[in-house]
Amino acid sequence: MLGLYNYMKAENKVRTHNLPEEAPLVIGIDLGGTQIRTAVLRGATLLSRVNLLTGENPSPERVIPRMFESVEEALLKANISLSQIAGIGIGAPGPLNGRTGIVYSPPNLPGWTNFPLRNAFAERFQIPIFVENDANAAALGEHMFGAGKGSNEMVYVTVSTGVGGGVISQGQLLQGITGSAAELGHMTIDWHGPRCNCGNYGCLESFSSGTAIARQANELISLGKADDLLSYALAHQPAHASANTPADNSTLAVTTPLHVNARMVAEAALAGIPVAQQIITLAGEALGVGLVNILHIFNPELIILGGGVSQIGAPLLDPARRIMRERAMTVPCQSATIVMAQLGSDVGLVGAGSLVYYHQ
Ligand SMILES: [Zn+2]
């Protein structure tokens, strides 16, 4: 074995960002396309949590007041006053510039074009405000409080609806000149590959994301090449899929096109459906190619894998490991350990809060 995939905690070595025993209180905001999640935190501990919907048409004019409201509510729930808070960290969908706090034009936040998010918050709250793209914030969270604790050379890769990432090099978050560095999901895996949302072709995201896995499955089903998978999906579709339909599921199967999602494909793969296994294997191999690139470019000590799709486990990760063994240069491959992320679904909030600790 090459020392890859040791599913173990990273050893706790020298920490880059030592926090005092009692870390200052901070606020973390995880802004997504559909939800605003806000928490008062001390280190990685949540003292309160507020979830608000961004609502229809999530323009800044509508969302910013909701974000302000979520901060007030989180303070109230934690019984903390703003004067006790050291700063607010905001993780938002990229692309954005973490240095200026300007959000350029995120595809899943229509209407946000060159919006000065940090300034809007600084005017309202008069305490330090830090803005970073959500994947970078998550990488920082894992670096300071999760699987990357103690490692100054780590790469975080999150595989979920999309693929994102963040790079810590020499203990610092790699940002690039405009804050656009470490868009790991948009590295090219196959330049003849499918068109990606970003405009490029054959990005890692267009092979290994949950969206890509689902797309593959549904394409094969529509071509009549995945009948076993279709039968499995129809037999195992979640109860809520038929909640608003007549009780007879056989009618549903005929009249309603079933959209197979990545979770169903993964479950079918584990149940031994060959076409599902092939789809997951392909996604895993593409991930492996991406990880080889990461090893060669960053020579990290740790690669931390997060996101729901990475939870598929062996059917996805074994092919990735095989590709790495076969293709990566020996030294960077042997010196890297791959671990699973530790912060789970709170990574966005802890990551946002960690921005305050990182910058202060
Ligand atoms: Zn792309």
Side-chain angles (χ1 to χ4, degrees):
M1 291 297 290
L2 290 176
L4 297 172
Y5 281 85
N6 299 325
Y7 293 103
M8 59 179 201
K9 279 188 182 176
E11 274 179 49
N12 219 345
K13 298 174 197 160
V14 182
R15 287 184 57 173
T16 326
H17 304 284
N18 284 313
L19 290 171
E21 197 74 3
E22 277 280 88
L25 291 165
V26 301
I27 287 175
I29 305 177
D30 179 15
L31 173 63
T34 55
Q35 272 198 75
I36 304 159
R37 304 173 71 216
T38 304
V40 173
L41 301 110
R42 190 188 294 283
T45 306
L46 274 68
L47 304 185
S48 67
R49 178 203 295 271
V50 174
N51 285 4
L52 295 180
L53 294 175
T54 53
E56 301 253 318
N57 181 21
S59 62
E61 294 72 26
R62 287 169 183 244
V63 171
I64 295 296
R66 302 280 282 162
M67 293 174 78
F68 291 167
E69 184 190 331
S70 76
V71 168
E72 302 290 359
E73 212 174 303
L75 286 168
L76 200 64
K77 272 191 171 178
N79 199 20
I80 301 280
S81 71
L82 185 65
S83 63
Q84 296 171 269
I85 298 291
I88 299 176
I90 306 170
L96 60 77
N97 189 328
R99 293 195 187 89
T100 59
I102 289 176
V103 176
Y104 294 130
S105 52
N108 57 351
L109 282 178
W112 292 58
T113 304
N114 298 327
F115 182 77
L117 181 57
R118 184 171 70 196
N119 287 354
F121 267 75
E123 278 171 25
R124 173 71 173 74
F125 293 105
Q126 284 102 42
I127 62 173
I129 310 292
F130 305 97
V131 175
E132 192 49 78
N133 90 52
D134 41 18
N136 278 359
L140 202 55
E142 288 288 345
H143 170 57
M144 297 184 79
F145 300 108
K149 239 168 25 180
S151 175
N152 286 341
E153 301 289 341
M154 56 150 270
V155 176
Y156 171 76
V157 182
T158 174
V159 190
S160 62
T161 311
V163 178
V167 175
I168 304 286
S169 180
Q170 300 187 331
Q172 303 294 308
L173 193 59
L174 187 72
Q175 290 187 305
I177 194 70
T178 59
S180 313
E183 285 290 354
L184 302 179
H186 299 287
M187 73 168 91
T188 304
I189 300 297
D190 174 2
W191 79 95
H192 296 304
R195 187 81 187 250
C196 179
N197 285 336
C198 73
N200 189 16
Y201 290 85
C203 291
L204 177 58
E205 179 166 299
S206 55
F207 289 106
S208 302
S209 64
T211 310
I213 291 170
R215 188 196 66 232
Q216 283 271 349
N218 289 294
E219 277 176 11
L220 289 173
I221 286 172
S222 68
L223 292 171
K225 293 180 177 174
D227 290 346
D228 286 357
L229 175 57
L230 178 60
S231 305
Y232 180 91
L234 286 170
H236 294 85
Q237 61 185 312
H240 62 79
S242 55
N244 299 320
T245 58
D248 181 3
N249 277 354
S250 62
T251 310
L252 176 73
V254 175
T255 57
T256 311
L258 175 72
H259 182 79
V260 175
N261 61 26
R263 181 186 296 271
M264 274 189 206
V265 181
E267 287 169 4
L270 284 170
I273 307 289
V275 69
Q277 290 171 337
Q278 286 157 18
I279 292 167
I280 300 292
T281 297
L282 185 75
E285 287 175 344
L287 178 62
V289 172
L291 295 178
V292 169
N293 291 336
I294 285 170
L295 290 175
H296 290 172
I297 296 169
F298 300 111
N299 185 198
E301 174 187 29
L302 278 183
I303 295 179
I304 301 175
L305 290 180
V309 172
S310 67
Q311 299 294 318
I312 290 173
L316 181 84
L317 301 182
D318 285 351
R321 178 174 55 184
R322 172 170 51 74
I323 291 287
M324 293 173 80
R325 252 197 325 263
E326 290 169 358
R327 300 191 182 195
M329 291 181 193
T330 308
V331 171
C333 190
Q334 285 186 340
S335 52
T337 304
I338 299 192
V339 297
M340 302 309 282
Q342 286 181 358
L343 298 178
S345 56
D346 284 335
V347 67
L349 283 169
V350 175
S354 70
L355 289 167
V356 181
Y357 300 122
Y358 176 72
H359 288 289
Q360 288 194 330

